Amino acid sequence: MPPPISLSFLGTGNFNATAGYWNSFLIGERILVEPSPAVLRNLQLVGARLGDIDVVFISHFHADHTFGWPFLYYSSLARRARTSDLWVVGPPGIQQFLEEMLQAGRLTHIVAHARSQPGAFDLRYVEVNGEQQTANSVQFRAVRVDHDRTLDCYGYLIEVDGRTIGYSGDTTLCPGLREIAANANVLVSECNSHHTPSPVHMTFDDIRTLRSEFPDLPLVLTHRAHDVDGGDLPNVRVPNDLETVIV
């Protein structure tokens, strides 16, 4: 039997942050999913070390999923927190998007100085293509989901220690999400609200439908509003900020 895997939730809230900090979590110690705005501080609060993170996954380019990147990146450089390369996985255009974020924050010259110092690590970008891919030694597959029509939005199937962790990204109950659920051993799913319908997000009614279609799949809910709980559904976890779930 594969060993258990820890999911450490650095934030579980949606864009409005009514349930806590913005959605972000660690898979084990090596994989960070979504560099949300509070990611640097919350990594410190859970005792994670920047140098242990090898791969960063980004589902799409909305601010609540990405605006922690300048702090995460520069702090890793300035603290000499790592010497090995850092891999960043995301939609097409991920490198340009993150570089533009540094420019918007007026950090380009500071980052350039830090990168010029001996021992600075390199960034390696992987643009997703829907096929089986590898970032460092982490195998994964991105699956397109329905969220914001103006953006490329993805969920992920991430292979860790013989298990497949599914992640919905921001999505509706769409074919892509069902594909992720069908191929995962556990699914970390957004549930943006309990009662309020949304054309671009999941509600608890959608989670109820997903539960009926995949009755044996463990579900962990994140990117949520304050009113989201597990209801009466079996095998559904609703972690709080800074909580670790073992799956």
Side-chain angles (χ1 to χ4, degrees):
M1 178 179 294
I5 297 170
S6 64
L7 304 177
S8 299
F9 286 85
L10 309 174
T12 58
N14 59 17
F15 189 96
N16 297 316
T18 58
Y21 291 107
W22 300 273
N23 167 52
S24 178
F25 61 98
L26 285 170
I27 303 174
E29 298 177 344
R30 296 182 54 207
I31 300 170
L32 172 65
V33 182
E34 313 284 34
S36 66
V39 67
L40 181 60
R41 177 55 178 160
N42 288 351
L43 283 169
Q44 296 166 357
L45 291 177
V46 300
R49 296 182 298 183
L50 292 178
D52 290 339
I53 298 171
D54 292 330
V55 186
V56 178
F57 284 88
I58 294 174
S59 63
H60 64 295
F61 293 162
H62 278 156
D64 54 321
H65 295 255
T66 58
F67 270 23
W69 172 252
F71 304 99
L72 179 73
Y73 179 39
Y74 179 69
S75 186
S76 297
L77 283 168
R79 294 183 195 173
R80 299 291 187 269
R82 63 182 307 112
T83 56
S84 59
D85 295 346
L86 180 62
W87 296 69
V88 183
V89 178
I94 181 67
Q95 179 174 357
Q96 179 180 348
F97 175 77
L98 295 182
E99 288 178 353
E100 288 174 351
M101 194 182 301
L102 296 177
Q103 294 171 7
R106 300 300 187 266
L107 295 173
T108 306
H109 64 294
I110 299 174
V111 167
H113 174 74
R115 286 183 57 83
S116 70
Q117 302 306 303
F121 64 88
D122 289 329
L123 289 177
R124 295 185 178 271
Y125 296 95
V126 180
E127 293 189 349
V128 303
N129 59 20
E131 300 177 358
Q132 195 74 13
Q133 295 175 272
T134 302
N136 203 349
S137 60
V138 177
Q139 295 187 1
F140 70 92
R141 182 163 65 90
V143 180
R144 188 181 290 273
V145 294
D146 296 342
H147 174 49
D148 184 333
R149 294 182 180 180
T150 69
L151 296 176
D152 291 325
C153 301
Y154 293 90
Y156 287 101
L157 291 160
I158 303 171
E159 298 181 18
V160 181
D161 294 337
R163 308 275 297 285
T164 300
I165 307 299
Y167 172 53
S168 68
D170 281 11
T171 187
T172 58
L173 185 57
C174 64
L177 178 60
R178 289 183 165 99
E179 181 179 347
I180 294 169
N183 290 279
N185 297 117
V186 60
L187 175 63
V188 179
S189 177
E190 75 126 281
C191 184
N192 194 65
S193 70
H194 205 298
H195 302 291
T196 306
S198 169
V200 293
H201 284 292
M202 297 277 287
T203 67
F204 197 76
D205 286 340
D206 297 319
I207 295 296
R208 194 178 298 278
T209 299
L210 201 64
R211 170 80 300 148
S212 68
E213 294 178 0
F214 302 92
D216 298 324
L217 178 65
L219 300 176
V220 184
L221 306 187
T222 186
H223 196 285
R224 61 187 180 88
H226 67 283
D227 61 350
V228 172
D229 57 28
D232 56 353
L233 298 182
N235 206 7
V236 176
R237 297 287 299 272
V238 186
N240 294 311
D241 288 1
L242 310 181
E243 181 178 348
T244 296
V245 175
I246 306 299
V247 297

